[in-house]
Amino acid sequence: MHSKSSPLGEFDLIQRFFKAGADAMRSNKEKVIALGIGDDCALLMPVAGEEIAITSDMLIEGRHFLLGANPELLGHKALAVNLSDLAAMGAKPLGFTLAIALPKVDEVWLGTFAKGLFAIANQYSCPLIGGDTTAGPLTISITAFGSIPSGKAIRRSGAKVGDDIWISGTVGDARLTLAALRHEINLPEDDLKQIEHRMHNPTPRVELGIKIREIASAALDISDGLLGDLQHILKQSEVSAEVFLGQLPKSATLQKQSEDIQHQFAASGGDDYEICFTAPIEKRGAIDEISAALNLPLTRIGSITEKVGVIEKLSLLNKNGDLLDDVKTAALLKSFDHFAK
Ligand code: ADP
Ligand code: MG
């Protein structure tokens, strides 16, 4: 036991909470990780014919999670959001580094955080291979590494005119949870229980990303809102799109809300970590098979159209097939922006 008079030092802390967990997963480690925690750098040995995908995501207290958030869920989410980025390109997880700033050494907090972190790390065979630990306002920054056969990464730039637009799972529940926690919406306790895991405990669509590698023409993960994120595909692919608002997949819980709320949260809610991808129409059968194999709904929500003039336009259609006016469309396209006023 460490009393307040002999707090755990930085190196003991790393050893006890991070290196121990990483060592425990050694059996999962592939030869790709030539050296893990303990030296100045970790060493990766890339497999011939594969590219390494690298992504970072940071979680900051008060900005990405509420003060006093459950550390086990935080450990899960910090890695999940990075695995979601790997998934969006079709990469298989290899390992990750963890840079963490802690306001103080709280052993209970650290143990619980590590529990959530290593549970998901083990689930996806993605070992912790290094990091940095410092004192400061609670900040968790993870960099994840993945591997993809050379040239097979699903980029945002590959969508083609005529492609279908697909989305995995359902969208809008993380935003509905946030609305309930902020008392913007009065959500019955039972409803909140049905959906809150979508905000706190997101599932990265790693298997899906790998399975659609040979099928999707473009993909990204939905972290800032479906339609806002979809516009990144349109810009980089230099195409336009039509999306049917009525076809956005929503949970039964979200469907109890007013139509306005349903549309707003599903279209631009954010924090969903689903994969939006485009694919040629002749792949519909293959995609339905993947959906069945993964027991994960994959829903067609629209199609890629030709860019007219210089602007990549996202047109929204209501359930009667009528085009929404520009003001309504703009409201639904707004994606989350940390620097927006
Ligand atoms: P250096 O000062 O050379 O950068 P550190 O003293 O920061 O090294 O870290 C020592 C070892 O512990 C390194 O291998 C580093 O990657 C690892 N490490 C430090 N913090 C963490 C952490 N939060 N999670 C995993 N590994 C860590
Ligand atoms: Mg060093």
Side-chain angles (χ1 to χ4, degrees), residues 10-11 13-15 17-19 22 35-42 96-102 113 117-118 128-134 141:
E10 179 186 327
F11 298 102
L13 181 163
I14 295 168
Q15 174 64 38
F17 294 103
F18 300 127
K19 185 158 188 319
L35 185 65
I37 296 174
D39 215 311
D40 294 305
C41 294
F96 70 102
T97 60
L98 166 69
I100 189 164
L102 299 162
F113 173 79
L117 181 74
F118 285 110
L128 177 61
I129 59 171
D132 195 26
T133 306
T134 177
S141 177

Side-chain angles (χ1 to χ4, degrees), residues 241-295:
E242 272 179 5
V243 167
F244 296 94
L245 267 188
Q247 289 176 17
L248 303 188
K250 295 168 292 244
S251 70
T253 307
L254 181 54
Q255 288 182 45
K256 291 187 200 165
Q257 297 295 317
S258 71
E259 197 158 275
D260 267 0
I261 294 280
Q262 288 188 39
H263 285 162
Q264 189 71 49
F265 287 7
S268 58
D271 237 9
D272 287 316
Y273 303 102
E274 294 296 347
I275 305 284
C276 176
F277 62 98
T278 60
I281 53 176
E282 58 270 20
K283 303 290 187 192
R284 285 178 187 174
I287 292 168
D288 288 340
E289 280 170 25
I290 291 172
S291 169
L294 295 178
N295 193 18

